[in-house]
Amino acid sequence: MGNISRVLLNLILYSGILYLGIIVLSKVFDLGTKKFMNLNNKNRKVASLGFLVLGALLPLVLANNTYALRTSVLVLIYIVLALSLNFVLGFAGQLSMGHSAFYAVGAYTTAILTVTYNVPFWIALVCSGIVSAIFGLLLGIPTLRLKGDYLAITTIGFSEILRLVLINWASFTRGPAGIPGIPSPKIFGYTISSNTGYYYILYILALLTIFISYRLLNSRLGRGLVAVKDDEVAAEAMGINPTFLKILAFVLGAAIAGLAGGVFASFIHYVNPDNFTYMESVVMLTMVVLGGVGSIPGIIVGATILTILPEALRGISTYRYAIYGILLVMMMIVRPQGMISMSSLKGGAKHENSRS
């Protein structure tokens, strides 16, 4: 059997497995979402608290499994990144295909400040969020007046320009060689160098991102964003400023992606331009689409599945990006609303309201 035939056979096989997996997981998440949303408010809070405690205790369960703990750290990084993209795509309805650029800005800011200028990690991390937010603002002001394909192409262009700058500005970024020796963070003189320490840093960052997401979604600004996403013309007629809200979502998403990049740089102690290619943006987009655009629980699920899947099935790593493409097409056909959709969450809420 030739190589091409073997590749096609493998892709067909993995596509079939993915199809069955999507169907089974969809049924499971539908049932789980329905049961969760049918709980009264008190039990719902208890269940949510239970999930938080389980997440906090996970490093203790995986204490003897370094590989699993390291994978858990990567899962949290991608959860934060996917949620940061959700500000732009899920809340503002803007298709950004260059989100990895803000991830790169954050990572390089931390790397340059800590290695070249000996700035403490925590200050460098805050600077990573601020610098990424500034880049988000500078890109957002001229581009968010664009829509659909034009915005996507512009953000891809920005991502590639940034990557080329990182490669060619060798005197500042060390070019393709990257920046090694990024130090671990310290708290009260204690150096956080273990996977468990990074897990808790990212766990707090993920909780902070989830908190900001829910607060924004339930605020006046968030309701304005939803209105802009649904019908920009009608929202503008109601006195809402669509451009301001879209830039706000873009800047927030960029800042959080920058924070994730800063922690990532310290976690692997080395960055180079190959860590932040266009395909990283595709991976983030796939996580958001798989989980459910705009759905915070869904995106957490999507990021978790797509981070663990290649690790659990090493045999498919060669076909990783091809499978991501197939997965996106299948999700659009089989379950366009994602694993845990916003409509299922709202439907549960309505049901709860009707019961009360």
Side-chain angles (χ1 to χ4, degrees):
M1 183 182 293
N3 287 335
I4 295 178
S5 302
R6 190 179 299 112
V7 169
L8 288 175
L9 184 63
N10 283 333
L11 285 177
I12 291 171
L13 176 64
Y14 295 138
S15 299
I17 294 171
L18 282 174
Y19 178 80
L20 291 175
I22 290 170
I23 297 296
V24 172
L25 284 177
S26 299
K27 297 295 181 186
V28 171
F29 286 125
D30 280 346
L31 185 62
T33 304
K34 187 177 178 182
K35 284 188 176 296
F36 180 79
M37 296 309 297
N38 281 336
L39 295 173
N40 58 38
N41 285 334
K42 182 182 177 183
N43 289 336
R44 205 180 293 169
K45 287 178 181 176
V46 170
S48 300
L49 186 61
F51 284 121
L52 291 179
V53 172
L54 282 176
L57 294 178
L58 187 62
L60 303 179
V61 177
L62 302 176
N64 295 322
N65 191 334
T66 305
Y67 177 73
L69 195 52
R70 192 173 179 82
T71 303
S72 302
V73 173
L74 294 176
V75 168
L76 286 174
I77 288 175
Y78 278 108
I79 285 175
V80 174
L81 287 172
L83 286 172
S84 70
L85 178 60
N86 190 50
F87 281 101
V88 183
L89 179 60
F91 294 171
Q94 302 300 302
L95 179 58
S96 171
M97 294 293 293
H99 205 64
S100 64
F102 305 117
Y103 182 37
V105 169
Y108 266 85
T109 301
T110 293
I112 291 169
L113 288 178
T114 55
V115 174
T116 308
Y117 299 103
N118 294 318
V119 174
F121 170 80
W122 297 108
I123 297 176
L125 183 63
V126 173
C127 291
S128 294
I130 294 172
V131 173
S132 296
I134 292 171
F135 270 83
L137 180 65
L138 293 176
L139 179 65
I141 289 173
T143 59
L144 286 178
R145 294 180 186 278
L146 304 174
K147 294 179 181 178
D149 300 342
Y150 299 105
L151 176 62
I153 292 169
T154 305
T155 52
I156 291 172
F158 171 69
S159 174
E160 283 302 297
I161 289 169
L162 182 73
R163 193 176 67 83
L164 292 174
V165 168
L166 294 177
I167 291 173
N168 291 290
W169 196 2
S171 61
F172 191 56
T173 65
R174 287 175 50 87
I179 302 176
I182 302 166
S184 300
K186 292 182 179 179
I187 295 182
F188 303 120
Y190 174 74
T191 302
I192 301 173
S193 57
S194 65
N195 290 328
T196 303
Y198 281 103
Y199 179 92
Y200 283 116
I201 291 173
L202 285 160
Y203 188 66
I204 292 170
L205 181 57
L207 292 182
L208 180 65
T209 308
I210 293 168
F211 175 76
I212 293 172
S213 298
Y214 276 116
R215 290 296 297 171
L216 178 64
L217 202 57
N218 293 310
S219 68
R220 186 170 177 270
L221 289 174
R223 288 190 287 274
L225 271 172
V226 172
V228 170
K229 180 183 173 185
D230 290 342
D231 190 330
E232 187 171 332
V233 175
E236 195 167 9
M238 296 295 292
I240 295 171
N241 185 340
T243 304
F244 168 74
L245 289 176
K246 287 191 287 186
I247 290 175
L248 174 68
F250 209 71
V251 169
L252 264 176
I256 293 171
L259 291 174
V263 180
F264 170 76
S266 176
F267 176 60
I268 64 170
H269 304 296
Y270 171 72
V271 292
N272 74 54
D274 289 340
N275 295 133
F276 313 102
T277 61
Y278 164 70
M279 292 312 299
E280 279 296 302
S281 300
V282 174
V283 171
M284 294 176 211
L285 178 65
T286 310
M287 290 171 174
V288 174
V289 173
L290 177 69
V293 177
S295 165
I296 297 167
I299 289 167
I300 294 171
V301 168
T304 303
I305 291 174
L306 285 185
T307 309
I308 292 176
L309 190 65
E311 299 293 334
L313 303 172
R314 281 283 177 184
I316 68 170
S317 60
T318 309
Y319 311 102
R320 182 184 178 194
Y321 294 121
I323 288 174
Y324 282 164
I326 294 170
L327 189 58
L328 275 176
V329 174
M330 281 189 175
M331 285 303 294
M332 291 298 103
I333 296 172
V334 178
R335 198 173 171 88
Q337 71 272 31
M339 287 293 181
I340 303 176
S341 66
M342 284 293 288
S343 58
S344 65
L345 295 172
K346 289 177 180 175
K350 286 177 182 176
H351 181 62
E352 169 66 20
N353 292 336
S354 66
R355 286 198 311 157
S356 62

